[in-house]
Amino acid sequence: MMSHFRKKFSRRRIMKFMALSATIPLFSIVMNYVHASKASKESMQYRDEPNDKERCNNCVQFIPGKTPEAQGECKVVEGSINPQGWCVAYTKK
């Protein structure tokens, strides 16, 4: 019984577990940073005018402002976003 206990909780297994436990929070922080960073308006070819019927206020990435006419935000593009604007990240709702 004692040898089974030693195999189950060997020093090597405990060290591996501790190393893995230390890397998980670091990985989470890095992934949150990657998700938090947004692309520039220039790199996404953002403009304040719609592209035919495609416009920010009917895109899944758009976060509306306080009123339908107010500037909003985008999940992908940095800065304030015109509801009537458009960029290459446009994805219809």
Side-chain angles (χ1 to χ4, degrees), residues 51-76:
N51 182 24
D52 199 21
K53 294 182 180 182
E54 296 178 353
R55 56 186 189 277
C56 293
N57 64 0
N58 64 16
C59 174
V60 298
Q61 310 296 345
F62 184 67
I63 303 166
K66 294 186 182 206
T67 67
E69 299 80 27
Q71 297 283 312
E73 295 181 32
C74 179
K75 297 175 187 174
V76 178

Side-chain angles (χ1 to χ4, degrees), residues 2-65:
M2 188 64 147
S3 69
H4 176 68
F5 179 78
R6 285 186 188 171
K7 285 183 183 177
K8 190 174 182 182
F9 294 105
S10 71
R11 189 177 313 154
R12 182 174 291 162
R13 284 187 181 204
I14 292 172
M15 294 301 284
K16 284 181 181 179
F17 177 77
M18 289 174 61
L20 181 61
S21 297
T23 59
I24 290 173
L26 180 61
F27 180 74
S28 177
I29 290 168
V30 169
M31 291 308 294
N32 285 339
Y33 176 76
V34 169
H35 288 293
S37 59
K38 295 182 180 183
S40 69
K41 288 182 176 181
E42 295 79 25
S43 68
M44 298 306 286
Q45 301 172 18
Y46 172 82
R47 60 185 191 209
D48 285 326
E49 302 85 33
N51 182 24
D52 199 21
K53 294 182 180 182
E54 296 178 353
R55 56 186 189 277
C56 293
N57 64 0
N58 64 16
C59 174
V60 298
Q61 310 296 345
F62 184 67
I63 303 166

